[in-house]
Amino acid sequence: MEKKYSVAIYPSQNVIIAIKTLKDYLETKIGWYNSKNSTAHITICEFTIDDSQIEIYKQKVFRICDTFTPFPVYLDHFGSYENSGAFFIAPNEDSKNNLKPIMKKTHEVLKPLKLKKSEDPHLSIGRRLTPENLKIASQLFTTIAIDFLCCEIVLRELDPVKRQFFVIDTFSFGSNPQAELVQGNLF
């Protein structure tokens, strides 16, 4: 049976709680909106495959995560994608430069799948907001300074009834960089 999956980075529990508070406050101003009930995360990619294949890709994600080393992520400003109505919190440049290779390498190991990739790391507050609601969000939230240790990637499965993703596996960073293969001479 085909299922929809998402690979993402979850921040610390304290950050998840803080983001939920922001989302709840925004709801008091604009009413319910897309992503309101979504757990705070940075999307790496989404894909749909037959659930009988998921173990193969779990192993690939496990192996690549073993090579990653934990690093701090600093989220220091709000932003929006007006074409999609997304309002989000963005990382500073150093954090973005650390997140992008993680995202790209994860995309590479999942390349055989038809991926919906995220290329620009961000933590969504709301999606598909009207222009008016985007403006309200940007007026409500002007400054932010939160951080967390990026030390794992989660695999989530979509619950088609609740229309929310739930975590089915967590892959910790192992700090085990792969040895580079060097071509040697026998003689």
Side-chain angles (χ1 to χ4, degrees), residues 7-49:
V7 180
I9 295 168
Y10 270 20
S12 65
Q13 194 59 38
N14 290 345
V15 172
I16 288 172
I17 292 167
I19 300 304
K20 181 171 178 2
T21 302
L22 294 178
K23 289 181 174 204
D24 290 346
Y25 182 62
L26 181 58
E27 183 185 33
T28 68
K29 301 298 181 185
I30 67 171
W32 185 91
Y33 56 91
N34 283 288
S35 291
K36 193 272 179 211
N37 295 319
S38 178
T39 301
H41 65 280
I42 297 172
T43 300
I44 295 175
C45 61
E46 293 179 3
F47 56 91
T48 302
I49 60 168

Side-chain angles (χ1 to χ4, degrees), residues 69-139:
T69 299
F71 58 92
V73 172
Y74 299 96
L75 301 160
D76 68 353
H77 64 282
F78 291 99
S80 64
Y81 300 128
E82 292 185 20
N83 59 339
S84 65
F87 185 75
F88 58 85
I89 305 171
N92 67 13
E93 276 307 306
D94 286 343
S95 296
K96 188 182 274 195
N97 291 336
N98 286 327
L99 287 163
K100 280 189 169 189
I102 301 287
M103 295 168 78
K104 186 174 182 182
K105 288 177 182 175
T106 305
H107 294 158
E108 286 171 10
V109 301
L110 299 174
K111 190 167 38 177
L113 302 171
K114 187 177 175 186
L115 298 179
K116 180 181 171 190
K117 299 178 191 176
S118 175
E119 306 282 352
D120 188 28
H122 63 279
L123 198 151
S124 293
I125 299 295
R127 292 182 304 115
R128 295 189 212 129
L129 299 178
T130 64
E132 299 79 31
N133 286 344
L134 262 180
K135 184 177 179 183
I136 290 168
S138 64
Q139 290 170 342

